[in-house]
Amino acid sequence: MSKTTADILDGLEDVTEWDEEELLRGQRRSKNGNFVGRPPKVIAQAVYIERHRRTMKKATELLRQNTLKAVRVLVTVATDETAPRAVRVQAAQLIIERVLGKTPATIEIKADPAPWLRALKGAIQITPGDDDFEDDFIDAEIIEDD
């Protein structure tokens, strides 16, 4: 392990001060500004996290700057009478999903079991090896709701 990697792991090296190329290479420049030696085979997680953080920050800013342009393109396509119908529908669908939200792919329904199922589960209690288990049953009648 290199001294720089050890310093990163020990918290002695602050990777937030590294430039973009250093983060991409996973290697710190020498004092004269050049990269010396082979690039590391393994980089510290802190280097990866900082590189990812900066990349996502740039991507988010780029999206923020171009959102209105993208929406205008979608509206132009959706309202273009000469465009193929499938393309217009797809553009319209993208606009609707971004404004109203996407329809869930799966719907989970949580409901209490029917009253008769709860009564049945509570009534059946058979103890293994109990010879006179017939005495343990409760006679019940199922009444269906209308």
Side-chain angles (χ1 to χ4, degrees), residues 70-117:
V71 171
R72 285 185 179 139
V73 169
L74 287 172
V75 169
T76 301
V77 171
T79 58
D80 182 1
E81 305 252 341
T82 63
R85 189 173 194 77
V87 173
R88 293 178 62 206
V89 168
Q90 189 175 18
Q93 181 180 2
L94 284 170
I95 294 168
I96 290 168
E97 286 176 355
R98 297 308 181 266
V99 174
L100 300 177
K102 197 171 185 177
T103 305
T106 58
I107 299 173
E108 185 177 332
I109 299 173
K110 293 182 180 181
D112 286 336
W116 63 269
L117 183 57

Side-chain angles (χ1 to χ4, degrees), residues 6-69:
D7 287 348
I8 293 168
L9 295 175
D10 291 338
L12 302 174
E13 177 73 33
D14 185 9
V15 296
T16 61
E17 297 175 0
W18 288 24
D19 65 32
E20 298 296 319
E21 195 173 352
E22 289 173 326
L23 288 171
L24 286 172
R25 290 177 63 115
Q27 182 180 22
R28 193 80 163 143
R29 293 180 193 271
S30 66
K31 291 179 183 178
N32 65 6
N34 297 325
F35 291 102
V36 179
R38 288 185 243 145
K41 292 182 180 178
V42 177
I43 62 168
Q45 184 179 14
V47 174
Y48 170 79
I49 290 171
E50 179 63 19
R51 183 171 60 192
H52 181 73
R53 186 191 66 77
R54 287 191 199 177
T55 302
M56 293 308 293
K57 184 178 178 181
K58 286 180 183 178
T60 302
E61 184 57 34
L62 188 60
L63 284 170
R64 196 174 287 130
Q65 292 171 0
N66 292 289
T67 301
L68 186 57
K69 291 176 189 174

